[in-house]
């Protein structure tokens, strides 16, 4: 009997991800994943008692975390929070646009995919907020600003712009800097000098 | 989504009578959606709740349930736009206008529970409009409304982008409430506005419009 372990769990998630890549969410079954991972179906159910739905939600969350790890690596060594966020948004936008499995599932089965994102939304936001909290508290935030709240608001915005870019051109330094300095950080008192050429109207 | 509520052109009397029937049917559809959800609501259910024949429903909405959905969305959205516009234009000063507008959204979401219950019970119907490319399509008209209502207070450049940022903040809290802010509570919203919105807008107002600054496409 295959024991319940982290290694097996990861193996199952990787197998599930591959099944989704090959045949989509709708046609990925527990049996498919078990076969791909070389384990019995019972093993899958032991790790994911909620069955197919739990497995698929966990697979989405697993890939999200892998994405966040890559994002963290991409911004490592940034000199300041503005640079970190600019690099992060640019990297993340390119990664989302270039993510073949995500784009395929969004194009063919968005109604199956998006509810799965919601399952882990809160935890993923906590991860992002936790990461940003460390960088936010390097500078004085302004008296009224609760750092935990600030990190949560910033995480919300970051996740929003990563997934839904709007009209911004992320490869245009001036636009990206405006977005980061004025909108993401404008209320957080993090940014040093005010915008150049400021003139009172 | 464009409303496909049909208004038959005829003499004024007929046109307004047709609109009244359409409105009653949309209301009946809303009642059904609240009870059973969109997918399990049939046109028979709508007819029964409205007290009309199924033929009447089909005549008013030849596009069937899809057309009813479009009409309900247009109706709900129209209500939201009206509530927000009324609240913002009745208030004076940027802080009060922001608070009034955001509370109007928060209260609308609580009171117009068709949207809330659909998100909760049939997320697969709503989420394509609230994530990834779908979100951008919802944000665009919302940002235009906010840009119209707040105008110069959004700063001299990237006005639609600033309005879009405000909409993202509010929408994020609607869909994933936090412990930090209750969008339906004026005092909570006022704290939120003072800490997370006004300082950014004040910085933007202090900028001069750079002659080479480009508006986003």
């Amino acid at each position: 009997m295959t024991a319940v372990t982290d290694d097996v769990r990861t193996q199952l998630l990787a197998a599930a991800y591959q099944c989704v890549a090959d045949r989509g969410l709708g046609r990925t079954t527990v049996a498919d994943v078990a076969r791909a991972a070389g384990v019995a179906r019972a093993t899958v159910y032991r790790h994911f008692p909620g069955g197919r739905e739990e497995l698929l939600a966990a697979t989405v969350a697993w890939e999200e975390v892998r994405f966040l790890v890559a994002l963290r690596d991409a911004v490592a060594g940034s000199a300041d929070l503005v640079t970190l966020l600019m690099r992060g948004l640019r990297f993340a936008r390119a990664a989302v646009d270039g993510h073949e499995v995500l784009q395929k599932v969004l194009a063919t089965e968005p109604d199956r995919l998006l509810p799965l994102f919601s399952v882990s939304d809160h935890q993923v936001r906590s991860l992002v907020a936790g990461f940003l909290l460390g960088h936010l508290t390097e500078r004085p935030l302004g008296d009224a600003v609760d750092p935990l709240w600030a990190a949560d608001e910033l995480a919300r915005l970051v996740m929003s712009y990563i997934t839904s870019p709007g009209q911004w051109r992320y490869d245009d330094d001036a636009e990206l800097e405006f977005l980061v300095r004025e909108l993401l950080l404008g209320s957080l008192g993090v940014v040093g000098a005010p915008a150049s050429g400021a003139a009172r109207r | 989504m464009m409303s496909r509520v049909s208004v038959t052109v005829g003499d004024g009397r007929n046109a307004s009578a047709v609109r009244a029937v359409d409105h009653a049917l949309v209301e009946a559809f809303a009642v059904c959606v609240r009870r059973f959800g969109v997918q399990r609501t049939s046109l028979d259910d709508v007819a029964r709740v409205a007290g009309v024949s199924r033929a009447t429903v089909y005549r008013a909405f030849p596009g069937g349930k899809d057309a009813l959905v479009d009409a309900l969305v247009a109706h709900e959205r129209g209500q939201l736009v009206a509530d927000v516009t009324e609240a913002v234009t009745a208030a004076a000063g940027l802080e009060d206008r922001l608070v009034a507008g955001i509370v109007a959204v928060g209260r609308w979401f609580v009171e117009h529970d068709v949207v809330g219950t659909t998100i909760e019970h049939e997320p697969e119907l709503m989420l394509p409009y609230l994530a990834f490319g779908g979100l951008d399509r919802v944000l665009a008209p919302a940002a235009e409304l906010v840009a119209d209502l707040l105008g110069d207070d959004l700063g001299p450049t990237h006005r639609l982008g600033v309005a879009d940022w405000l909409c993202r903040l509010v929408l994020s809290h609607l869909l994933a409430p936090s412990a930090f802010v209750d969008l339906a509570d004026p005092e909570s919203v006022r704290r939120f506005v003072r800490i997370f919105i006004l300082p950014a807008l004040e910085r933007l107002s202090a900028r001069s419009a750079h002659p080479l600054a480009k508006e986003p496409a």
Side-chain angles (χ1 to χ4, degrees):
Chain A
M1 182 169 83
T2 315
V4 175
T5 67
D6 280 348
D7 285 345
V8 173
R9 188 170 195 275
T10 305
Q11 202 183 318
L12 294 176
L13 291 169
Y17 180 77
Q18 195 52 53
C19 288
V20 172
D22 292 341
R23 70 190 62 165
L25 279 170
R27 282 166 47 211
T28 293
T29 64
V30 167
D32 293 329
V33 175
R35 194 177 320 117
V39 303
R41 281 169 54 191
T43 304
V44 180
Y45 283 107
R46 256 197 311 280
H47 286 79
F48 301 98
R52 201 183 87 98
E53 284 308 302
E54 186 188 337
L55 171 60
L56 291 177
T59 305
V60 166
W62 179 72
E63 177 59 10
E64 271 191 284
V65 171
R66 290 201 307 168
F67 170 86
L68 289 176
V69 168
L71 179 55
R72 186 196 61 199
D73 290 344
V75 302
S78 297
D80 55 39
L81 186 52
V82 171
T83 307
L84 185 154
L85 288 170
M86 286 178 66
R87 286 169 72 183
L89 279 174
R90 198 176 282 133
F91 173 87
R93 286 295 326 134
V96 166
D97 284 346
H99 195 299
E100 287 184 16
V101 176
L102 171 64
Q103 293 304 328
K104 184 164 120 184
V105 177
L106 276 175
T108 56
E109 316 169 276
D111 50 333
R112 286 188 200 277
L113 174 63
L114 295 168
L116 298 176
F117 270 109
S118 303
V119 173
S120 52
D121 176 71
H122 178 75
Q123 285 112 313
V124 171
R125 192 170 71 248
S126 296
L127 282 177
V128 174
F131 174 76
L132 293 170
L133 181 64
H135 292 274
L136 277 173
T137 49
E138 280 164 12
R139 307 281 294 270
L141 273 180
D143 293 336
V145 187
D146 170 359
L148 287 177
W149 189 357
D152 182 69
E153 296 297 344
L154 187 53
R156 285 165 181 275
L157 286 171
V158 163
M159 287 167 68
S160 174
Y161 285 108
I162 285 176
T163 54
S164 306
Q167 297 300 306
W168 298 99
R169 284 170 295 197
Y170 293 77
D171 53 357
D172 179 320
D173 277 353
E175 283 200 13
L176 190 55
E177 190 170 346
F178 180 96
L179 172 58
V180 169
R181 278 190 193 279
E182 305 304 330
L183 301 184
L184 296 191
L185 300 178
S187 291
L188 298 186
V190 170
V191 185
S196 60
R200 296 263 154 214
R201 281 184 288 136
Chain B
M1 267 199 276
M2 295 296 291
S3 166
R4 282 191 238 125
V5 174
S6 63
V7 177
T8 309
V9 175
D11 64 73
R13 221 170 358 127
N14 285 347
S16 63
V18 168
R19 274 195 293 273
V21 167
D22 285 352
H23 185 75
L25 293 176
V26 170
E27 286 292 333
F29 184 55
V31 167
C32 293
V33 169
R34 272 186 221 112
R35 266 188 225 156
F36 314 120
V38 172
Q39 287 167 120
R40 280 162 49 209
T41 294
S42 69
L43 294 181
D44 281 345
D45 294 325
V46 176
R48 186 173 51 249
V49 169
V52 303
S53 71
R54 196 161 74 161
T56 302
V57 178
Y58 272 109
R59 250 197 316 277
F61 294 94
K65 197 156 88 168
D66 282 352
L68 266 172
V69 169
D70 284 355
L72 180 57
V73 168
H75 172 75
E76 294 291 312
R77 189 180 59 225
Q79 277 290 266
L80 175 60
V81 169
D83 288 355
V84 171
T85 302
E86 184 186 332
V88 173
T89 49
L94 178 57
E95 180 181 311
D96 281 357
R97 284 156 75 214
L98 286 165
V99 172
I102 294 172
V103 169
V105 175
R107 289 197 168 150
W108 173 87
F109 196 71
V110 168
E111 287 157 21
H112 288 247
D113 52 350
V114 167
V115 175
T117 53
T118 305
I119 290 177
E120 193 183 331
H121 298 298
E122 298 178 284
E124 66 280 7
L125 294 184
M126 292 293 299
L127 288 173
Y129 299 104
L130 299 173
F132 293 95
L135 178 65
D136 287 332
R137 282 189 289 278
V138 164
L139 284 176
E144 293 204 15
L145 172 66
V146 170
D148 280 343
L149 290 174
L150 295 181
D152 288 348
D153 289 324
L154 298 177
T157 60
H158 298 290
R159 203 169 277 184
L160 273 181
V162 177
D164 168 272
W165 161 74
L166 277 178
C167 294
R168 282 169 195 265
L169 271 177
V170 173
L171 185 60
S172 172
H173 283 284
L174 276 184
L175 297 178
S178 80
F180 298 110
V181 52
D182 174 358
L183 289 185
D185 171 26
E187 283 319 300
S188 179
V189 170
R190 191 171 296 278
R191 270 183 74 218
F192 177 57
V193 164
R194 283 183 178 167
I195 298 174
F196 290 102
I197 298 179
L198 278 179
L201 294 181
E202 278 156 19
R203 270 179 64 92
L204 288 170
S205 293
R207 288 166 71 93
S208 62
H210 192 287
L212 297 179
K214 289 172 277 189
E215 293 287 345

